[in-house]
Amino acid sequence: MLVPILLMAQVAGGMDSQVLRSLERFAYDARLKLTMPGGVDERIVIVDIDEASLQQEGHWPWSRDKLALLLDQLFERYGADVVAFDVVFAEADQSSGLPVLQRLQSQQLHDQAGYKAALAALEPELNYDQRFANSMQGRRVVLGYYFRHDGEASHNIGLLPPAALDASVLQAMPHMAVMAANGYGANLPQLQQQAAAAGHFNPEPDDDGITRRVPLLVQHGDGLYESLALAVTRLALGEPQLTAGIEQSAGYNSLEWIGLGQRRLPVDANITALIPYRGPQGSFSYIAASDVLHGRAPLSALKSKIVLVGTSAPGLMDLRATPVQSVYPGVEVHANMIAGMLDGNLRHAPDYRTGAEILLLVILGLSLAYYLPALSPLAGTVLSLAVLLGLVTGNLVLWRAGLDLPLASPLLAVVLIYVLNVSYGYFIESRSKRHLTQLFGQYVPPALVSEMAAQPVNFGLEGENRQMTVLFCDIRGFTSISETLAPQELAQLMNEYLSAMTRVIHQHRGTIDKYMGDAIMAFWGAPLQDEQHASHAVAAALGMMQALQEVNAAFYQKGWPRLEIGVGLNSGEMTVGNMGSEFRMAYTVLGDAVNLGARLESLSPFYGEPVILSGAVCLAAPQYHYRELDLVQVKGKDAAVRLFTPILAMDWEPDAAQAVPSAQAVLESEQYAQALLHYREQNWQEAQQAFLDLQSRYGERRIHHIYLARIAHFASQPPGPEWLGIHRFDSKQGAA
C-alpha cells in the first residue's frame, strides 16, 4: 500500500511526470469551468479590430492618424476612462508620404523656397506618428509591447517604459523563477513618452499550449516590468504604488504577492497569476472599431469604461487556446485579468502547495492502507468513493476561497491505493479460491467455496469431530427401472436426475459426499461451519421432492419411467475429513450418526413416507412442522430413535424461511398424535377407532395400516406393562 504513496510523494516533490501534470491541468480546467461566474462584465469594453472594420477601413496596420482619430473619439465623444492598446507600434508610419516629400526637399527641390514653406505647413498634418502621440497627451492611454527570450540587445526595438520595480527585490530568493528577457520589441519613443503607461503582453502558455496564467512581472536587466493588464488596472485605480509582497517562511524569503495599493495580487514562484476566466468569448462587450471611428456606437456603451483596443480577426493572429475555449481572442485574456484584479479574486497557488500535497498524500495513503484491507469490497468501495467526494468537495471549497491546491494527485493516489487493494484482494482471493477449489471443489458448490475464501479461516482435510447433519437419498425400485431402459438412456436419465438433486443440495449449502449408483450421500456443517446445518438439510430434502416433480414431468415427455425416492436425515456428532487409502482418498463423514441416517433412508418405503427424520433433526430445525411416525430400535442400535416426517402446505416454497402446514394437515396431525397416544397407552380399542377415523377422513396412509396391524396383534397378545411403545427391527429394512 505504501508504493503509491511514495510514488505520488516523489511526483509531488518535483519528479517529472507528464501524465500527472496533464491530470492536474484537467482538474484545474474542470474546476474553472464549474465555478465561472458567467455573464458580461460591463466595466471593460473591447474595441474590436474585427473583420468588418478591416473591410471598411482597410487592411492592418491602419495609419496613425486614424488611430489618433480613434483615441479622440473614445475620450472626447464617448468619455472613456482608460484606453489600452493590445498592439505594439514599433515602426514609424510612412503612409502619409511625408518621408518622400522630405527627401524631395533635400534633393531635387532643395532650392525651391515655396516648396519648403508649403511642406513646413503640411508637415504637422502628415506626421501621423506625432499626431498619434499628440492624441495621447494628458490622457490615460496604455501601450503594449513584448519581450523576447532569445534576442540580443542590438536587436531591441523602440523604447521601454520605466521599470515597475527594481529587480533587486528578488535577491536572496533563488527559488523564484521569474521570467527573464534579453530583448524586447517596444513602441516608438515619441509614442511611449506621451503614453501614461505601457505593459507587456507576453503570453505564458503551459506545455499543452493552453493559456492559464499571465506573468505580472518580467525581468529585463535591472528592472521588473509590469504586464499590460497590471498597468491598466493600476491606472484605473488611480495609480497606487506597486510593491513586492515578500514573506518569510521556513527560513527563506518568497515573493507571494504584488501590492497594488491596499490590494494584494497573489503570484506563484514565477510571478505569474492565474487568469480568472469569467466564461467563453463574449464575457465582455465587443464594439467594432469602425463604429467608434464613425460615431455609430451608443454613447453609453463606452462612458467611463476601461477600453481595450485589440482584435478578434483570425488573420491578425492574436488568438489563444484557453481552458474555456480553444480559440479565444488574446485581448479578452487581458480583460479577464483586469476584471480579476479589480475584484480581488485572483486565485493563489501558495508556496506551501507542494508541502501540503505531500502531507495530504501521506495521510490519505496511511489511512486507506490501514482501513481498506480490513473492509469488504463493497465497504472499501464506499469508503474510497466517500474519500474522493470529500477531496473534491474540500478542494472546491478552498478553490472558491481563492486557493489553488492540487487535486489530481490526491485523487490519483486514492484510486491507485483502491485499485491495488482490490487487485491484491482479488489475486489473493483467487489463489485462496483455487486452493480451496482443489481441496473441496468436487464436494461443495462454487458459492460455498467463495464464502470459504472470504473467511479468514484455514480449511484443511484433516479429520475432526463436528455436529453435522447427513442425508441419504435412494431411488425406489431402481433395479426394475434399469431393466426397462437401454444403457445410453439409463445413463442419460441418471445424469439428469443426479444433476437436479445435486443442484438443490448445493442451493442449500450442502456438500456432496458421494454418488453410490442411484443413491446420493450429502452432509451439512463441513467444510464450512454451519450453525443451521439441520435446517438447511431439511430444506434441501423438501426441495428435492419438489425438484423430483419437475424431473418426472420432463421424463414423461421422453417416455421414461416415473421416479420415486426416499430420503433419510440424521443430526449428531460425526467425524469429517479426508479418508481412504494411499491409493484413493475422499472427503467424507463417518460415525454412528451417519449409519443411522442410512438406516432412516432404508425405512422410507416401510412407512410409506418420502422423507424420514430423526428426533435430533427435529430439535435442531424447529421452524418446520413434523408428524411423529414411530419410536424404533434399528438393527445394531440399543437406544430407541423417534422417527418423524415433515408436514407442509401444498404451496410451500423450498427457499421459504419456514414451512407452514395447511389447516387440514394441522388437524390431521393433531388427531394422529391422539391416536398414537392411545396406542402407546395400550388403549387398543380407542387407538383402533382413532386410526380408522383418520383413514376415513383424510385417506389411507401406509402408517395407518402399520398401526392397525400392530393394534390387532397386541390386542390378542398384550406386550405387558413394561412395554414402552418401541418397535424393533431385526434387519436393515424388515420389521420384527
Side-chain angles (χ1 to χ4, degrees):
M1 289 302 163
L2 292 179
V3 173
I5 304 170
L6 296 176
L7 173 61
M8 298 305 292
Q10 283 181 308
V11 170
M15 184 177 178
D16 185 24
S17 173
Q18 183 62 40
V19 173
L20 187 59
R21 288 201 301 273
S22 297
L23 290 174
E24 197 62 68
R25 289 167 184 155
F26 177 81
Y28 175 88
D29 295 347
R31 286 173 291 173
L32 180 66
K33 294 175 185 177
L34 184 65
T35 58
M36 290 189 304
V40 177
D41 189 337
E42 300 292 348
R43 297 171 300 178
I44 304 169
V45 177
I46 297 171
V47 171
D48 190 11
I49 305 170
D50 58 2
E51 293 288 354
S53 297
L54 292 174
Q55 289 180 3
Q56 185 171 349
E57 305 299 331
H59 64 80
W60 185 262
W62 291 343
S63 63
R64 304 282 159 78
D65 66 328
K66 186 171 291 188
L67 295 177
L69 176 60
L70 180 66
L71 275 180
D72 291 340
Q73 287 283 73
L74 286 171
F75 283 106
E76 295 174 4
R77 179 181 178 85
Y78 292 102
D81 181 29
V82 178
V83 177
F85 285 90
D86 187 22
V87 181
V88 62
F89 305 105
E91 298 176 352
D93 184 357
Q94 299 181 358
S95 62
S96 66
L98 180 60
V100 176
L101 296 177
Q102 289 173 336
R103 189 167 55 252
L104 287 173
Q105 178 189 343
S106 62
Q107 295 178 5
Q108 291 93 335
L109 302 177
H110 66 278
D111 56 349
Q112 299 293 322
Y115 179 82
K116 182 177 181 180
L119 181 59
L122 288 173
E123 188 169 354
E125 292 295 323
L126 297 179
N127 191 340
Y128 290 170
D129 287 326
Q130 189 59 49
R131 287 187 61 185
F132 188 33
N134 293 340
S135 68
M136 298 182 197
Q137 190 172 9
R139 293 171 174 173
R140 289 144 63 95
V141 177
V142 182
L143 298 180
Y145 62 95
Y146 61 89
F147 281 112
R148 297 195 304 269
H149 307 283
D150 56 354
E152 298 179 1
S154 60
H155 296 157
N156 292 339
I157 301 172
L159 175 67
L160 282 179
L165 289 173
D166 195 283
S168 61
V169 299
L170 300 179
Q171 290 180 357
M173 288 186 281
H175 65 287
M176 299 295 293
V178 61
M179 180 186 294
N182 54 14
Y184 59 84
N187 296 280
L188 294 171
Q190 64 189 108
L191 300 180
Q192 181 59 60
Q193 290 166 357
Q194 293 300 325
H200 60 80
F201 44 67
N202 285 70
E204 181 69 3
D206 290 327
D207 294 342
D208 57 358
I210 305 298
T211 301
R212 298 180 178 89
R213 64 194 75 237
V214 167
L216 292 189
L217 295 176
V218 171
Q219 182 177 1
H220 178 69
D222 296 329
L224 295 174
Y225 293 83
E226 62 186 340
S227 68
L228 180 66
L230 181 56
V232 172
T233 305
R234 188 168 55 80
L235 257 65
L237 294 174
E239 301 186 63
Q241 183 180 3
L242 200 66
T243 58
I246 300 174
E247 296 185 359
Q248 189 174 42
S249 176
Y252 65 89
N253 295 329
S254 177
L255 197 156
E256 293 285 331
W257 45 270
I258 294 174
L260 199 56
Q262 298 300 316
R263 298 170 186 265
R264 291 188 174 188
L265 309 178
V267 294
D268 58 18
N270 303 102
I271 318 185
T272 63
L274 295 168
I275 304 169
Y277 289 100
R278 293 183 58 85
Q281 181 181 358
S283 298
F284 302 88
S285 298
Y286 280 73
I287 297 177
S290 59
D291 288 343
V292 175
L293 283 168
H294 298 284
R296 294 192 294 261
L299 293 176
S300 60
L302 295 161
K303 180 68 174 177
S304 301
K305 303 297 176 63
I306 297 173
V307 177
L308 301 181
V309 180
T311 181
S312 64
L316 297 185
M317 306 297 290
D318 189 27
L319 299 175
R320 302 279 184 265
T322 68
V324 298
Q325 197 169 319
S326 59
V327 180
Y328 195 84
V331 64
E332 195 163 345
V333 173
H334 302 308
N336 280 284
M337 277 301 300
I338 295 168
M341 288 188 281
L342 290 175
D343 294 332
N345 65 353
L346 298 185
R347 288 187 173 83
H348 184 32
D351 196 49
Y352 57 79
R353 192 174 189 268
T354 299
E357 180 180 14
I358 295 175
L359 179 62
L360 180 60
L361 289 174
V362 171
I363 293 173
L364 284 174
L366 292 177
S367 300
L368 292 176
Y370 177 78
Y371 285 109
L372 283 181
L375 298 175
S376 66
L378 178 59
T381 301
V382 171
L383 174 62
S384 299
L385 290 175
V387 171
L388 291 174
L389 180 61
L391 286 172
V392 172
T393 302
N395 191 277
L396 281 176
V397 170
L398 294 174
W399 173 273
R400 289 186 179 276
L403 284 177
D404 173 32
L405 294 178
L407 180 60
S409 56
L411 295 182
L412 183 59
V414 173
V415 172
L416 281 176
I417 294 172
Y418 172 76
V419 170
L420 285 177
N421 179 73
V422 170
S423 301
Y424 176 81
Y426 171 79
F427 288 115
I428 293 299
E429 180 181 349
S430 298
R431 185 176 67 181
S432 174
K433 198 175 286 188
R434 286 194 301 271
H435 176 66
L436 290 171
T437 301
Q438 292 173 356
L439 294 178
F440 302 106
Q442 58 182 318
Y443 311 117
V444 301
L448 204 57
V449 173
S450 300
E451 189 173 334
M452 292 164 64
Q455 295 188 7
V457 177
N458 291 324
F459 296 92
L461 300 177
E462 297 79 9
E464 59 176 311
N465 290 337
R466 288 190 185 180
Q467 287 293 323
M468 300 172 59
T469 298
V470 68
L471 175 147
F472 287 88
C473 176
D474 193 21
I475 298 177
R476 302 292 169 238
F478 179 71
T479 301
S480 301
I481 293 174
S482 63
E483 292 173 352
T484 64
L485 296 172
Q488 295 83 355
E489 286 185 309
L490 180 61
Q492 187 178 353
L493 178 146
M494 287 305 300
N495 288 340
E496 294 187 21
Y497 161 73
L498 291 175
S499 295
M501 298 300 105
T502 300
R503 190 176 300 112
V504 174
I505 292 171
H506 281 178
Q507 287 173 353
H508 295 281
R509 303 173 64 84
T511 299
I512 297 295
D513 186 304
K514 60 178 69 72
Y515 303 119
M516 301 166 289
D518 62 309
I520 302 173
M521 177 180 174
F523 53 82
W524 282 258
L528 191 66
Q529 290 281 2
D530 184 2
E531 298 299 328
Q532 302 295 320
H533 56 84
S535 299
H536 291 147
V538 174
L542 299 174
M544 291 167 69
M545 295 302 164
Q546 287 200 343
L548 184 64
Q549 296 179 17
E550 299 175 4
V551 169
N552 281 329
F555 285 3
Y556 177 79
Q557 298 294 329
K558 298 178 180 181
W560 292 348
R562 176 183 178 83
L563 302 183
E564 293 185 1
I565 63 173
V567 176
L569 293 172
N570 184 42
S571 297
E573 186 175 81
M574 307 173 192
T575 300
V576 61
N578 218 22
M579 305 176 196
S581 67
E582 61 178 304
F583 302 103
R584 185 174 181 180
M585 303 290 288
Y587 188 74
T588 188
V589 288
L590 298 175
D592 289 343
V594 179
N595 297 334
L596 178 58
R599 298 288 187 274
L600 298 184
E601 181 275 320
S602 68
L603 294 177
S604 172
F606 176 78
Y607 287 100
E609 298 292 345
V611 180
I612 295 183
L613 321 168
S614 68
V617 176
C618 298
L619 290 175
Q623 68 269 44
Y624 295 97
H625 295 261
Y626 308 95
R627 180 173 66 248
E628 184 177 355
L629 293 177
D630 207 351
L631 179 62
V632 303
Q633 183 180 8
V634 299
K635 182 175 177 60
K637 292 287 185 181
D638 295 330
V641 179
R642 291 190 184 275
L643 306 184
F644 296 83
T645 190
I647 56 174
L648 307 172
M650 293 302 293
D651 57 351
W652 175 78
E653 294 293 336
D655 294 328
Q658 62 180 16
V660 180
S662 64
Q664 179 176 324
V666 171
L667 184 61
E668 179 186 2
S669 182
E670 291 174 350
Q671 294 181 13
Y672 172 85
Q674 186 61 44
L676 191 59
L677 179 62
H678 288 315
Y679 168 76
R680 288 176 177 167
E681 291 179 348
Q682 301 188 37
N683 297 326
W684 310 121
Q685 186 174 355
E686 291 84 349
Q688 183 182 42
Q689 187 59 48
F691 279 110
L692 290 174
D693 288 345
L694 284 169
Q695 281 187 333
S696 63
R697 291 183 181 182
Y698 304 107
E700 295 186 0
R701 292 181 182 272
R702 170 72 175 157
I703 192 68
H704 299 159
H705 292 286
I706 290 174
Y707 277 109
L708 287 172
R710 290 180 185 177
I711 290 168
H713 171 75
F714 287 134
S716 61
Q717 301 180 30
E722 72 283 356
W723 182 69
L724 300 177
I726 300 174
H727 187 75
R728 292 177 176 82
F729 286 92
D730 59 4
S731 68
K732 292 183 179 181
Q733 288 184 297

